[in-house]
């Protein structure tokens, strides 16, 4: 089933400077959305903007979503510029180096929580405030969960814990958004071939301790899933979707 986007609809994509965020932002712009690109590095966001065929449909704004003042400034600019927000793709995230938990610097744990969880919360909170008061009311939030929201990789406690927490955030947002026409769903992505997933093609540690090369998929399939979820009417919601390389070790991982 295909859906067409209202050209007046406004989307915010975090982590839009590379990888999944860039692919999703370009796919939304291609389908007629006006897309706000957010991320820490303005130069990377501008590269994404330059790739958009309709450059007028994208706006690059530097923001560190783990910082409340940056999120407040980002949403204030969106409200001032467009008066509304129809879609938040909570995509920004980090993966700290894989080390045994007893060797993990607590600073890396805190950094993971700040970006992957608190950052997603701060953006969702700001989106709720705007979506509740705008007219027409409501909107949609899509959280990037990851396969790690279900099953861990070895030595990945910070990432796995924050992604499990994203699932709880998704459910809470979905429940709390009902009264305000705010839909929230989660996209769990496995081995989309971005720079972050490049090590999969060279071999990564498996649950049995061996190093194995894992299958990957084109990131375009993730972008397609995002646009499908985004363009449903607010009366319908994809609560959870898993899109993954077919033969990657997920079912039966470990």
């Amino acid at each position: 089933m295909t859906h067409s986007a209202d050209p007046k609809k406004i989307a915010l994509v975090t982590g839009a400077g590379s990888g999944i965020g860039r692919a999703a932002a370009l796919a939304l712009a291609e389908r007629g959305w006006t897309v706000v690109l957010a991320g820490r590095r303005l130069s990377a966001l501008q590269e994404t903007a330059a790739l958009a065929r309709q450059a007028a449909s994208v706006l690059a704004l530097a923001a560190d979503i783990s910082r409340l003042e940056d999120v407040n400034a980002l949403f204030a600019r969106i409200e001032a510029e467009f008066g509304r927000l129809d879609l938040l793709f909570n995509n920004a995230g980090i993966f700290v180096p894989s080390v045994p938990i007893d060797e993990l610097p607590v600073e890396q744990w805190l950094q993971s929580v700040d970006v992957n969880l608190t950052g997603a919360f701060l953006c969702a909170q700001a989106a709720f405030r705007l979506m509740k008061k705008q007219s027409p009311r409501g909107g949609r939030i899509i959280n990037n969960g990851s396969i790690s929201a279900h099953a861990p990789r070895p030595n990945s406690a910070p990432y796995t814990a924050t992604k499990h927490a994203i699932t709880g955030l998704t459910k809470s947002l979905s429940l709390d958004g009902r009264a305000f026409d705010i839909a929230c769903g989660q996209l769990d992505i496995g081995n989309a071939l971005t720079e972050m997933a490049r090590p999969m093609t060279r071999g990564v540690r498996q649950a049995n301790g061996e190093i194995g090369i894992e299958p990957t998929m084109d990131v375009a399939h993730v972008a397609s899933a995002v646009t499908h979820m985004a363009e449903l009417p607010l009366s319908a919601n994809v609560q959870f979707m898993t899109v993954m390389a077919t033969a990657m070790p997920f079912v039966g991982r470990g």
Side-chain angles (χ1 to χ4, degrees):
M1 183 184 298
T2 59
H3 314 277
S4 59
D6 181 336
K8 296 179 182 177
K9 286 197 169 181
I10 312 300
L12 167 61
V13 177
T14 66
S18 63
I20 289 167
R22 173 175 285 180
L26 293 176
L28 288 164
E30 181 76 14
R31 294 183 62 81
W33 289 72
T34 295
V35 186
V36 179
L37 313 172
R40 285 176 291 183
R41 294 183 298 121
L42 184 59
S43 60
L45 300 175
Q46 290 170 335
E47 288 175 11
T48 300
L51 293 170
R53 294 188 185 180
Q54 300 294 330
S57 67
V58 295
L59 173 64
L61 297 175
D64 180 345
I65 61 160
S66 69
R67 295 168 55 88
L68 176 60
E69 55 268 37
D70 281 24
V71 173
N72 285 342
L74 173 63
F75 278 82
R77 177 70 186 277
I78 291 170
E79 185 172 5
E81 193 87 16
F82 306 109
R84 65 179 297 105
L85 181 68
D86 297 285
L87 172 69
L88 164 63
F89 181 30
N90 247 336
N91 167 72
I94 61 169
F95 191 95
V96 299
S98 297
V99 297
I101 191 168
D102 52 303
E103 299 174 15
L104 178 75
V106 70
E107 292 79 13
Q108 292 186 1
W109 167 269
L110 294 172
Q111 184 183 21
S112 296
V113 172
D114 285 347
V115 176
N116 297 354
L117 181 56
T118 301
F121 163 77
L122 291 175
C123 289
Q125 183 183 55
F128 255 66
R129 289 186 182 124
L130 182 52
M131 290 173 177
K132 283 170 70 171
K133 69 180 181 180
Q134 65 194 17
S135 181
R137 186 179 71 173
R140 188 180 305 275
I141 297 171
I142 301 173
N143 290 328
N144 182 342
S146 168
I147 294 295
S148 290
H150 302 271
R153 291 186 176 279
N155 298 329
S156 67
Y159 190 76
T160 302
T162 55
K163 289 304 185 178
H164 273 64
I166 287 293
T167 299
L169 180 64
T170 297
K171 292 176 180 178
S172 289
L173 295 174
S174 187
L175 176 59
D176 296 345
R178 285 180 191 170
F180 307 103
D181 303 312
I182 299 172
C184 182
Q186 182 169 312
L187 184 59
D188 295 322
I189 302 158
N191 287 16
L193 189 53
T194 63
E195 280 308 307
M196 185 180 285
R198 192 74 58 184
M200 310 296 175
T201 65
R202 298 189 292 267
V204 292
R205 188 168 302 280
Q206 304 297 305
N208 64 0
E210 296 177 359
I211 302 296
I213 292 174
E214 295 189 9
T216 58
M217 65 174 176
D218 193 317
V219 72
H221 301 307
V222 179
S224 177
V226 171
T227 59
H228 171 72
M229 294 171 73
E231 293 178 356
L232 289 169
L234 290 179
S235 58
N237 187 40
V238 174
Q239 188 67 68
F240 292 97
M241 180 193 292
T242 300
V243 58
M244 54 179 267
T246 304
M248 72 168 286
F250 166 42
V251 177
R253 183 190 285 185

